[in-house]
Amino acid sequence: MTNVSDGAQVAPLRRVVPPDVLAVGTGPIDQRKIDKLSRLRKVKDVIAVAGGAVQLQGRQVNAFAVDPSSFRSWTPPGTATKTELWSALAAERFVVSTEAAEKLQLAEGTQYPVVGKTVPNLLMGGSGALGLPGIDMLVSRKAGDGMGLFPNVAVLVNAPGVEPGKLGKAVGKALGGRVKIVNLHERKYQPPSGGGRSGGYLDLYKRAATSCRGLSWTVLAAIGQVESDHGRNAGRSSAGALGPMQFMPATWKSYGVDGDGDGKADIMNPYDAIPGAAKYLCANGAGQGGQQLYRAIWHYNHADWYVQKVLNLARAYASAY
């Protein structure tokens, strides 16, 4: 499922694609090598972007030039769902990481010279967690071309279920040459837990489970995996269900939650959908465990095979984490 940008408009977010490996070259990576990545075992998604170093506020900053409609899916859920951020990028503004905004004391709506091969004056369109170590700035493809950023200098790869270390080696072998491989699952690249917005689905499941006493986060994670593969397939199902937790719109009207406090309960937003799922399960007795948990999961999808699959996955999550 590919989102397509239409002028300054941004396509709606249909899914979240957690990147597993980031590969960065010293120059453009051959497109034929990038194409090989899609044929690697269990690789589901690959995206190549332009990039390079620029000067901003007298500091060197590594920037990616991206299409906002397609790239937003690869950022952490809290950033991917900030449509205003991606609309700003589509309108030729630049976006930075939260850390860069603070360190460089950047103000949204203010114009700054960005020094590349050319020196365009660009408006700062906002900030958010980008989830990419060493990358602190996003510009549009048009701005990137104008500044002379390298095409296809970096590649993000998503391969659910593959051990990230092995995936990194396979990606490195396919790309060859002087390409740096970054395993995005290494602890040093993970967002801190605790305050602030969660960085990924695992944190969202854990946080949502605390709203229902007795409900394990592993059950939410299992349902999220079965329903949408953690947001990767969040579009409308054949039955009409939507979003990362695949709610029927009628059920969402009763159990939807504004989990991120933006004033709207959005069925497509994991920050809303996951606590909504916890609310629905809790209303059906999931927090009581045992047979009540079984019944609550059955209410989510009226099939015994579904309940068994969710419970088995939940046990697997409990063992793994």
Side-chain angles (χ1 to χ4, degrees):
M1 183 187 303
T2 301
N3 292 325
V4 180
S5 179
D6 180 17
Q9 300 298 311
V10 179
L13 179 68
R14 297 300 185 192
R15 57 176 182 162
V16 174
V17 185
D20 296 307
V21 166
L22 167 65
V24 182
T26 56
I29 300 172
D30 191 308
Q31 183 63 49
R32 291 170 297 180
K33 294 182 177 180
I34 296 172
D35 292 340
K36 286 183 181 179
L37 298 180
S38 299
R39 298 192 289 272
L40 293 179
R41 185 171 176 268
K42 292 189 175 181
V43 167
K44 281 195 172 182
D45 292 279
V46 176
I47 188 170
V49 297
V54 298
Q55 292 283 326
L56 179 63
Q57 292 287 75
R59 303 278 191 91
Q60 179 173 300
V61 176
N62 292 319
F64 278 171
V66 303
D67 169 63
S69 289
S70 57
F71 191 77
R72 67 185 298 187
S73 300
W74 292 82
T75 60
T79 303
T81 55
K82 291 176 68 174
T83 299
E84 66 276 12
L85 205 65
W86 303 102
S87 296
L89 193 61
E92 303 302 326
R93 301 188 177 197
F94 71 88
V95 169
V96 293
S97 67
T98 306
E99 295 78 10
E102 295 173 356
K103 185 181 295 184
L104 301 180
Q105 298 183 333
L106 302 172
E108 186 174 340
T110 300
Q111 198 170 59
Y112 298 93
V114 182
V115 183
K117 285 189 176 181
T118 58
V119 189
N121 289 307
L122 301 179
L123 286 170
M124 197 273 219
S127 63
L130 302 183
L132 301 171
I135 307 302
D136 284 309
M137 185 178 189
L138 301 179
V139 298
S140 69
R141 286 178 173 174
K142 180 180 177 181
D145 288 343
M147 289 188 290
L149 298 186
F150 293 111
N152 287 4
V153 77
V155 182
L156 287 165
V157 182
N158 164 255
V162 179
E163 198 281 311
K166 292 181 179 178
L167 176 64
K169 290 180 180 178
V171 170
K173 183 178 180 181
L175 297 181
R178 299 174 63 185
V179 177
K180 179 181 179 182
I181 303 297
V182 180
N183 173 0
L184 296 173
H185 291 270
E186 288 187 31
R187 185 177 296 275
K188 62 183 177 181
Y189 300 135
Q190 297 303 302
S193 57
R197 301 192 79 176
S198 305
Y201 272 72
L202 187 63
D203 284 341
L204 292 177
Y205 296 132
K206 290 181 177 180
R207 181 176 295 183
T210 63
S211 67
C212 180
R213 186 175 181 181
L215 175 64
S216 172
W217 68 267
T218 62
V219 173
L220 288 172
I223 290 175
Q225 180 174 332
V226 174
E227 294 293 347
S228 73
D229 197 10
H230 310 306
R232 294 181 178 93
N233 303 295
R236 185 181 297 274
S237 73
S238 57
L242 285 168
M245 301 305 280
Q246 289 290 284
F247 270 96
M248 295 298 291
T251 306
W252 181 254
K253 287 182 179 180
S254 299
Y255 295 96
V257 171
D258 176 16
D260 57 4
D262 66 354
K264 181 175 68 173
D266 184 354
I267 197 171
M268 300 300 297
N269 183 344
Y271 282 89
D272 297 345
I274 293 173
K279 179 180 178 181
Y280 182 60
L281 289 167
C282 206
N284 285 292
Q288 299 173 42
Q291 191 61 30
Q292 283 299 111
L293 173 61
Y294 191 102
R295 286 170 54 84
I297 299 171
W298 185 88
H299 275 287
Y300 210 98
N301 186 331
H302 297 177
D304 288 309
W305 67 262
Y306 176 88
V307 180
Q308 292 296 337
K309 185 171 185 177
V310 167
L311 291 174
N312 287 336
L313 280 171
R315 284 190 284 270
Y317 276 110
S319 297
Y321 294 94

